[in-house]
Amino acid sequence: LTNTDWMDAVNVDAILAAGLPPVDDRESAILATLPSGAYTVILSSEIDEPAAVGMIEIYDITEECADCRLINSSTRAMVSLNNELMIGGLVIFGVAEKQVYVRALGPSLTGITSTLQDPFLKMVPGEGGVVSIDNWLDSANAVAITKLGLPPTDDREVAELYQLQQGSYTFQISGVDNTSGVALLELYEVD
């Protein structure tokens, strides 16, 4: 599925009915019912446009399936200097807490040149109270992370388990000592 200008989508009426249309007609949107599985979304600029900052949002708007849910989101991007971070986020609805596993990978990424050699993770809740972590082995949850079966394979990478209440959360990846490179941010719903 592809889309360049969301008003050109075949299901514009359904996008409007979902209540999530882009603000600018030049932005893209795809509304699709997907069977269980893994999917990749690629955001790119037009061929004659320079690279710039963009944002991908994924909403699970399924109402008729109580067992259907989005359980993982991964983003690979360049982390540059100063304020040019990789930023991912999620919103949790409902009264029950959710356990969320977050990884920031760099040195273990294969087939990619110029990876971020020492990722640094900041979790910023919508209510404030920043939580930072450098290396996953420094986490109080290192044993639980290992038991999940998805620990980073390089000790410089970051992983953390969070118990999160309803609200919005932002995860920021930067490089230790203001370094740059390609990184992968992964968010998993554990329970």
Side-chain angles (χ1 to χ4, degrees):
L1 302 171
T2 62
N3 181 259
T4 301
D5 301 319
W6 79 274
M7 291 294 289
D8 294 336
V10 295
N11 53 1
V12 170
D13 291 338
I15 292 170
L16 288 166
L20 299 167
V23 176
D24 191 300
D25 290 348
R26 296 170 294 176
E27 295 174 327
S28 303
I30 295 173
L31 178 62
T33 301
L34 303 172
S36 180
Y39 296 89
T40 299
V41 178
I42 299 171
L43 175 64
S44 63
S45 62
E46 293 292 328
I47 292 176
D48 59 346
E49 294 179 352
V53 175
M55 182 167 69
I56 295 173
E57 297 176 315
I58 301 172
Y59 296 91
D60 181 351
I61 59 172
T62 307
E63 294 179 5
E64 59 277 347
C65 181
D67 294 331
C68 300
R69 66 182 208 261
L70 179 66
I71 59 169
N72 169 250
S73 172
S74 301
T75 303
R76 186 185 83 190
M78 182 69 176
V79 174
S80 294
L81 306 178
N82 302 317
N83 291 326
E84 295 183 21
L85 313 170
M86 179 191 306
I87 301 173
L90 59 85
V91 177
I92 295 176
F93 289 104
V95 294
E97 285 190 344
K98 294 283 185 185
Q99 188 173 41
V100 177
Y101 176 54
V102 180
R103 291 195 318 177
L105 307 179
S108 68
L109 298 177
T110 58
I112 300 170
T113 56
S114 302
T115 58
L116 186 63
Q117 291 301 299
D118 198 353
F120 185 80
L121 171 68
K122 275 188 193 177
M123 190 269 284
V124 183
E127 302 295 317
V130 174
V131 177
S132 299
I133 185 168
D134 184 1
N135 300 319
W136 80 275
L137 289 173
D138 294 337
S139 169
N141 298 313
V143 172
I145 289 168
T146 301
K147 287 181 181 179
L148 280 177
L150 292 171
T153 57
D154 190 293
D155 294 348
R156 296 169 290 176
E157 294 175 324
V158 183
E160 187 58 278
L161 274 170
Y162 298 98
Q163 284 295 127
L164 303 178
Q165 299 177 344
Q166 178 173 305
S168 61
Y169 300 86
T170 300
F171 300 91
Q172 302 175 355
I173 306 300
S174 59
V176 171
D177 295 329
N178 207 25
T179 53
S180 62
V182 175
L184 179 70
L185 172 62
E186 298 178 321
L187 308 173
Y188 295 88
E189 179 185 344
V190 177
D191 56 13

